[in-house]
């Protein structure tokens, strides 16, 4: 074109210009192509930012509490150019972003999408809502970030309810498609929910994102080369993953909502005397004088919280405290927070605007003084999501907050800013923590918070473990109650292989193994077989204690490299895309364990088809080896679950103790699986804030078939060779 | 205040003014009160229009195809002043409207809300979507109109996805509520989903409506004095209800999607030879060469449609034709419609912009010529709703249409404009019609279209009959298949007492009574008991034929007075509000029949609690009388259903015929229930366009206990006295 122009006369120049303008206008009108976003800029290695218009003032990035891990990002491979280039347009309705999709490209992410997995072909409205039973994009942790099998990630930095059309919308052509027009099809009823419509596969299409109300937006592109690196870059951009203190990886138990100080102590004693490992006990709403909304004032059920917490500490229990962000007029901080809250109430309480430093400070100072200073180790930040499917209790989207956020933006950011306030409370005390939260969003990786939900379908809970890893989220498939012993054990198995292993017995007076029937349980009627059932449960809880060093190492990798500790298989084995593209019930825990929890089927023994990626795998329980690259039908008795170790792994297992405070929890047995090729990296972590995590390696002497470890923290006791 | 000002000096005036302004500002900031809408105007008796800002160009009212029934409205009682006065505000996000609610006021409407009934306390997003299984406001026929037990209706004239917060949002106070602060409550877990939060009852609250993107809106208020009159005024403002031709009230049967011309005729003969009444046969997608999207070109399965239609006509069958609005490239009207369609495809087809006269004309002209001129009597306008829960196939909200509507507005209006095109097609031929449609909205009453859905829960289908009458909609709980004979009969019973009595056997080769098992049915395996089951079904279909004159009269009242033919009981008995406020499974059909269909329970006989409004009622089947004002536990054998006649009614029943074309269908038996006080008004309707419906009265001679009727159309044959 350039050469051609040089050859032409001025008149021709003008004709050409007119022609070009005409064509440009014509194509714009007919094919509605959007202009490329103007200022793509590589802001970190492999991270590009594109901007259109004037982005909102309130976004996940603009309100972030943790900065990108620049050092970590700088250590990642540099990539020459952005893997995709977004285009966009500002309309009367807001902003539209378009990102091209290759014919065979598959999409994952958009947060904790509990009802779906692969997202290409779908429409997703990223709206914060508890208990999403429909596959519409509603989620208590929607994240405007996705990765594709083409090996890159996209973050739309906006806090509005965006709609993602993922490769399933076609613009109309300038004229009829002749191939379709002349097709021989007779009485065709062709497309309804067919694979083409679902996935938009086989065609060059686009991911379209509509952002309401905004006048501009930043789009961040994260390079791979593969999905795993794209996710890692996103997590490092978020500030790196979080590392729970070792106690956070122990076993958790939440007591009945109406427990008293006395009952708490009784239960703690029972756990210790019966050797049921437990690091954390959880308090539920009634610890305070008012809840729904919250007063944050200890109730008379707890005449001396300080004494209780101190007694529990001597028994190596930490306490996590249920809390809601909505502040009741009875709360001592109500008056101070009133000007720093939204204009609508929730459950008679006000909604603090945690985006303002004032609200955050008032909240932190109060909870430090009344709770954390006397020993509370963390919080369960409940109901910070929205309620379109659960009684409509939350603040309306049209709310106005002092920070300038409206209710829609605040819903997208509320969980994050609430987490940030709690994390800041602990970091100001230079104290590590690990918490629960019911709403999260973009850039969440650095926050030591694990999501949970009132949805209780076991398979959905399993799928969510795999799903959470695409977007910097952690998820616990918590066990509340069970409909049978089998259900209890199967759910417990899933929980053990999750970021936070918890029984949440907030509506049971006794642990579920003492009585499965909820009514009888609350009448303190102990079942005849409670001892046997307790023993079976203890076995799984013990296993959790053994897994802590391994799991802790996976979390350190999350922090240092951005690799999530729990991942869908397609993240680790992208070359097996065909087999793995919709595999949502299996996941990797760390680099070596593949977990495929099963659900109760009423018969105890479950037959399940499990996919094994290429290579050799070992049954974690029996040591039996299995050749990968295909499905195997596995028989799973009730006392086992499908967990497999990748060939070549060294797996450290800790000695079972009643809590991570027990020094014996640092005595290790190492299992060597097959032809070991690399050391296992693990980390000394005494739980303190100041001391950086010290790296240790368990090395393997191939000739002597012997593991060794130099550490003053851990001690290697045994080596077991699995062939 | 005025007097006070007169007494003061000028300085005092200024001080006072400053004070007033200060107070106004203070209260505005603290309580966020919104200004009253400026120009409330009574545009028809009892109908007020209020405006804020500059309303959208594309709204239900601005695009309406039928004008208000001014004559009908002028005959309604005039009301001195608007029963409520809306206030509003224009924000960055759009428009907010507030309408005050009294403490005990209950709310109904917002369209076909299949998962709910009383709306106060809820949040509803009026978003068009097929198969809404959640109670969120999504509906295939959302209508921004509600009525309250305070006896008025509100229409927000806007085509966007509005959010209604119905009395459940409280603005935060300027300072803490002392009553709450000092309440003695200890460890209260008070409000979660409690009655206050659900209903916002017992407090003066407000209905808040947020309208996205718009810069202004018209709000219409419809006076009562009671809900029934408010609904009637809304329907008359819509243009008055529609009156189906008598054949539309007969029995309908839709054939398997893959039927041929030959099979159609065979089935028609079978119906006639076996005396199964039927007025309308329905064709499904495969009548054309391409569907999903539609070509509208007869397939080779129908070598001579004209001949088939003519043969069917001689047997007194009319044909209704399945159709989708999305136009496949194969369709002869594709090229003409291309410039008059939206910018995104659906199922490879284009989306006509029926708001433009051009698209409407092209569509009408084609279908008149190829279909209606050869005998097609109506259409089933399928999939004109949206698809967030059903595969995401529809056009995106950000679509742009030649009329200036965007995709969001078009979704709210598509069904209405599509109905308008079809109705215009028939009205231009001066031909009456009755149709099916899957999406509707505001001002729908004049359109001869009945809604249906793929949701198939029987109780939900029953509830939707009552629900539809709040907002000018009609709904058929169509029968497709059944899981048992009991289910078949119970569903058939419901269908018989509905606006359109249809079996939709689009996936069954034979009528369901010949074989319940879907697979065997499609293999033409006739069940052993098919004759008995056919006889049981025939009994109910015969009943439908008997009900036509009564039902027709109810529809005429819909047209002439705006009273919907199917209504929730609270509309007719507002003084029994406490008992009726959540009664969704019973409804009035016309003025005299109360219907309470039951669903199969696996035992055949059903026990059901039925509420009887005050007064005396008679069992329609047994004549047994029941005293109202309370619940009765009713035993319902499979060959009966709970249908009750109000004391004092004259009920005309037609002679059973195979179609409404049979003159014997005008021979009447009149049942006189108890102490008859008024005549029954019925209408001669020969189906023609020009002749106005002629009013007849069945009068009652109290002394002689005899009914009489002067009519050349109907003939009174028998009188039955029920005491």
């Amino acid at each position: 074109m350039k050469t051609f122009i040089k050859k032409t006369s001025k008149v021709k120049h003008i004709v050409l210009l007119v022609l070009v303008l005409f064509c440009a206008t014509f194509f714009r009108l007919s094919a509605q192509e959007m202009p490329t976003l103007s200022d793509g800029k590589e802001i970190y290695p492999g991270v590009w930012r594109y901007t259109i218009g004037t982005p909102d003032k309130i976004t996940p990035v603009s309100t972030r509490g943790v900065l990108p891990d620049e050092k970590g990002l700088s250590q990642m491979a540099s990539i020459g150019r952005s893997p995709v280039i977004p285009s966009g347009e500002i309309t009367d309705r807001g902003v539209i972003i378009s990102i091209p999709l290759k014919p065979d490209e598959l999409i994952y992410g958009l947060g904790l999408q509990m009802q779906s997995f692969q997202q290409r072909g779908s429409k997703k409205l990223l709206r914060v809502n508890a208990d999403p039973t429909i596959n519409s994009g509603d989620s208590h942790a929607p994240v405007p970030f996705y990765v594709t099998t083409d090996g890159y990630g996209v973050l739309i930095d906006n806090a509005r309810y965006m709609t993602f059309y993922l490769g399933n919308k076609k613009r109309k052509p300038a004229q009829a498609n002749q191939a379709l027009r002349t097709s021989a099809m007779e009485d065709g009823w062709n497309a309804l929910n067919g694979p083409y419509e679902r996935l938009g596969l086989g065609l060059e299409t686009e991911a379209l994102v509509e952002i309401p109300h905004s006048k501009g937006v930043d789009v961040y592109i994260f390079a791979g080369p593969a999905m795993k690196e794209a996710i890692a870059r996103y997590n490092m951009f978020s500030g790196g993953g979080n590392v729970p203190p070792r106690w956070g990886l122990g076993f958790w138990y939440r007591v009945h909502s109406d427990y008293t100080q006395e009952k708490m102590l009784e239960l703690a004693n029972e756990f210790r005397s019966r050797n049921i490992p437990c690091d954390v006990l959880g308090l539920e709403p009634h610890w305070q004088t008012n809840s729904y909304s919250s007063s944050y004032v200890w109730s008379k059920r707890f005449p001396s919280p300080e004494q209780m917490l101190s007694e529990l500490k001597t028994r190596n229990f930490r306490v996590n405290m249920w809390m809601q962000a909505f502040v009741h007029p009875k709360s001592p901080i109500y008056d101070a927070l009133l000007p720093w809250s939204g204009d609508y109430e929730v459950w008679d309480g006000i909604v603090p605007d945690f985006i303002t430093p004032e609200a955050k400070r008032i909240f932190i100072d109060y909870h430090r003084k009344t709770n954390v200073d006397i020993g509370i180790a963390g919080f369960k930040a409940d109901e910070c999501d929205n309620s379109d499917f659960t009684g409509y209790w939350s603040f309306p989207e049209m709310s106005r907050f002092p920070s300038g956020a409206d209710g829609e933006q605040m819903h997208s950011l509320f969980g994050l800013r609430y987490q940030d306030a709690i994390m800041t409370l602990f970091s100001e005390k230079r104290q590590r923590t690990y918490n629960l939260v019911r709403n999260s969003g973009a850039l969440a990786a650095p926050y030591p918070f694990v999501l949970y939900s009132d949805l209780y379908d076991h398979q959905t809970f399993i799928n969510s473990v795999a799903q959470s890893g695409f977007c910097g989220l952690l998820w616990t498939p918590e066990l509340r109650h069970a409909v049978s012993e089998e259900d209890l054990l199967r759910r417990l198995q899933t929980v053990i292989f999750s970021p936070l292993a918890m029984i949440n017995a907030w509506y049971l007076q006794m642990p579920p193994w003492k009585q499965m029937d909820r009514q009888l349980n609350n009448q303190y009627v102990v079942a005849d077989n409670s001892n046997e059932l307790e023993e079976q449960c203890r076995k799984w809880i013990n296993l959790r204690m053994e897994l802590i060093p391994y799991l802790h190492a996976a979390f350190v990798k999350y922090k240092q490299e951005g690799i999530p500790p729990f991942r869908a298989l397609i993240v680790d084995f992208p070359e097996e895309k065909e087999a793995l593209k919709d595999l949502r019930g299996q996941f990797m825990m760390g680099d070596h364990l593949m977990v495929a929890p099963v659900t109760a089927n009423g018969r105890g023994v479950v037959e399940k088809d499990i996919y094994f990626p290429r290579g050799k795998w070992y049954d974690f329980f029996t040591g039996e080896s299995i050749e990968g690259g295909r499905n195997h039908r596995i028989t799973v008795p009730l006392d086992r679950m499908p967990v497999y170790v990748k060939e070549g792994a060294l797996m450290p297992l800790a000695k079972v103790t009643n809590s991570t405070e027990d020094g014996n929890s640092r005595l290790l047995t190492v299992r060597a699986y097959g032809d070991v090729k690399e050391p296992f990296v693990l980390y000394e972590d005494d739980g303190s804030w100041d001391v950086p995590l010290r790296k240790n390696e368990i090395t393997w002497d191939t000739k002597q078939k012997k593991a060794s470890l130099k550490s003053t923290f851990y001690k290697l006791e045994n080596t077991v060779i699995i062939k």
Side-chain angles (χ1 to χ4, degrees), chain A residues 38-86:
Chain A
S38 47
D39 57 342
K41 191 182 158 190
E42 189 170 6
I43 53 170
Y44 300 105
V47 183
W48 282 262
R49 183 178 58 220
Y50 292 84
T51 303
I52 183 171
T54 307
D56 290 355
K57 280 190 185 144
I58 304 284
T59 74
V61 169
S62 81
T63 60
R64 65 190 298 164
V66 181
L67 293 175
D69 183 338
E70 293 200 24
K71 199 180 143 202
L73 282 164
S74 70
Q75 286 164 357
M76 296 188 79
S78 191
I79 304 281
R81 56 185 190 85
S82 175
V84 282
I85 298 180

Side-chain angles (χ1 to χ4, degrees), chain A residues 628-640:
Chain A
R630 66 177 185 87
N631 276 306
H632 288 270
R633 190 153 194 84
I634 305 288
T635 301
V636 192
L638 189 52
D639 63 348
R640 287 218 297 277

Side-chain angles (χ1 to χ4, degrees), chain A residues 153-173:
Chain A
V154 176
L155 170 70
I156 313 283
D157 179 35
N158 190 284
R160 300 201 172 275
Y161 296 171
M162 291 179 263
T163 303
F164 285 70
Y165 299 92
L166 295 168
N168 64 347
K169 291 299 153 216
K170 275 202 304 178
R171 295 168 202 231
K172 80 168 174 186

Side-chain angles (χ1 to χ4, degrees), chain A residues 65-66 360-361 364 368 372 377 419-433 435 446-449 689-690:
Chain A
V66 181
K360 186 172 160 183
R361 176 53 46 207
I364 288 175
R368 187 185 57 238
V372 181
Q419 289 173 57
D420 191 65
I422 294 171
M423 188 174 77
T424 305
L425 156 56
F426 285 98
S427 64
E428 285 178 355
K429 280 185 68 96
R430 308 187 73 70
Q431 187 175 324
R432 303 257 296 282
T433 183
N435 305 274
Y447 291 97
F449 283 81
W689 180 268
D690 294 308

Side-chain angles (χ1 to χ4, degrees), chain A residues 525-718:
Chain A
V525 180
V526 177
D528 291 343
N529 67 341
S530 72
N531 281 340
E532 299 96 90
L533 195 52
E534 181 188 83
E535 173 52 27
Q536 288 171 282
C537 291
R538 188 188 293 107
K539 194 195 85 176
W540 290 104
I541 299 170
N542 286 347
L543 175 57
R544 175 71 178 192
M545 299 308 285
E546 294 187 86
L547 289 167
I548 292 175
Y550 172 80
L551 193 50
H552 182 267
F555 271 95
V556 175
K557 202 163 179 174
Y558 191 29
K559 180 176 178 57
Q560 295 182 340
E561 299 172 39
I563 309 293
F566 292 82
R567 307 179 296 277
L569 263 60
I570 197 164
V571 176
D572 280 44
F573 307 96
E575 68 285 359
E576 295 180 66
K577 175 176 152 183
E578 261 319 297
L580 301 178
K581 64 186 176 192
D582 207 34
L583 194 74
R584 59 188 87 179
Q586 299 178 219
F587 53 85
M588 296 300 294
M589 174 167 125
D591 290 340
H592 304 314
L593 284 187
M594 179 177 76
V595 187
V598 293
T599 60
N601 64 358
R603 294 188 298 275
V605 177
V606 172
E607 300 273 326
K608 185 176 173 165
D609 281 327
I610 293 173
Y611 185 80
F612 290 80
R614 282 168 212 149
K616 199 170 171 183
W617 296 84
Y618 294 88
D619 186 305
F620 179 83
F621 297 93
T622 65
E624 194 188 343
S625 77
I626 294 163
E627 200 54 49
R630 66 177 185 87
N631 276 306
H632 288 270
R633 190 153 194 84
I634 305 288
T635 301
V636 192
L638 189 52
D639 63 348
R640 287 218 297 277
M641 70 180 284
V643 178
Y644 302 93
V645 190
K646 223 172 147 182
E647 219 248 312
L650 286 174
M651 276 285 304
L653 294 173
K655 193 174 178 73
V656 174
T657 56
N658 277 339
S659 87
T660 55
E661 290 295 312
D662 186 330
N664 285 341
S665 68
R666 305 185 208 154
L667 303 178
L668 305 181
T669 292
V670 169
R671 291 192 193 162
Y673 286 89
D675 186 12
V676 175
K677 274 173 193 139
E678 49 183 36
F680 183 87
V681 178
L682 83 173
Y683 295 85
E684 300 186 2
D685 184 353
D686 66 358
S688 66
W689 180 268
D690 294 308
V691 181
L693 302 167
R694 199 163 353 144
K695 186 170 170 178
N696 294 132
E697 282 190 354
I698 302 174
T699 54
W700 182 250
D701 186 324
T702 315
K703 283 180 191 163
Q704 296 203 22
K705 305 277 181 205
K706 212 184 142 221
S708 59
L709 166 67
K710 274 182 198 156
S711 170
T712 55
F713 188 81
Y714 290 111
K715 191 181 165 196
L716 192 53
E717 286 205 319
N718 294 303

Side-chain angles (χ1 to χ4, degrees), chain A residues 308-535:
Chain A
M308 175 187 75
L309 293 168
S310 141
E311 280 188 41
L312 288 170
K313 197 182 169 192
T314 64
R315 291 166 176 76
N316 293 331
F317 285 101
R318 281 173 174 80
V319 174
N320 174 290
M321 188 174 236
W322 182 96
M323 184 168 74
Q324 215 188 32
F326 310 122
V327 182
H328 191 266
K330 266 190 176 175
S331 175
I333 53 175
Y334 182 94
D335 288 355
L337 280 173
L338 192 60
W340 305 108
S341 61
D343 56 350
Y344 281 90
E345 294 185 348
V346 177
W347 281 309
D348 293 329
I350 48 173
V351 185
D353 182 349
F354 290 121
I355 298 176
T356 67
E358 291 83 355
K360 186 172 160 183
R361 176 53 46 207
I362 294 161
F363 192 84
I364 288 175
D365 286 350
Y366 177 81
H367 285 290
R368 187 185 57 238
K369 206 174 55 186
T370 45
N371 295 321
V372 181
D373 280 354
I374 66 169
I376 292 296
F379 293 94
K380 172 180 172 183
D382 208 3
E383 275 115 6
C384 45
D385 42 19
N386 201 353
S387 53
D388 289 357
F389 314 141
T390 53
Y392 325 107
W393 44 260
S394 201
F395 54 88
E397 278 72 13
M398 64 189 167
S399 301
R400 279 170 269 215
F401 286 84
S403 61
D406 64 29
E408 178 186 19
Q409 294 173 311
M410 189 55 86
H411 274 304
S412 300
L413 296 172
F414 197 73
L416 288 163
R417 295 302 96 217
Y418 189 16
Q419 289 173 57
D420 191 65
I422 294 171
M423 188 174 77
T424 305
L425 156 56
F426 285 98
S427 64
E428 285 178 355
K429 280 185 68 96
R430 308 187 73 70
Q431 187 175 324
R432 303 257 296 282
T433 183
Y434 201 43
N435 305 274
L436 290 153
V437 69
R438 217 172 79 178
N439 166 225
S440 199
L443 312 178
Y447 291 97
F449 283 81
V450 181
L451 289 155
Y452 60 96
S453 151
D454 280 351
L455 290 181
Y456 200 58
D457 176 65
H458 189 188
Q459 190 60 54
T460 305
F461 270 28
I462 295 168
N463 299 352
S464 300
V465 178
Q467 181 67 245
S468 61
F470 291 121
C471 297
L473 304 173
L474 299 171
W475 161 260
T476 176
E478 63 174 28
L479 166 59
R480 293 184 161 196
H481 71 271
V483 296
S484 64
E485 293 176 18
E486 187 194 1
D487 187 35
L488 179 74
L489 291 165
R490 291 304 191 197
R491 286 179 178 272
L492 185 58
Q493 291 166 7
T494 303
V495 151
I496 294 308
F497 288 84
S498 85
L500 195 150
M502 178 169 72
I503 292 180
N504 178 9
W506 71 263
Y507 45 72
L508 296 180
Q509 292 291 347
M510 303 188 296
W513 53 74
K514 290 179 94 167
Q515 176 56 259
M516 302 284 306
D517 181 281
R518 200 197 284 200
Q519 205 180 339
L520 294 177
N521 185 302
N522 287 324
Q523 291 162 356
Y524 299 95
V525 180
V526 177
D528 291 343
N529 67 341
S530 72
N531 281 340
E532 299 96 90
L533 195 52
E534 181 188 83
E535 173 52 27

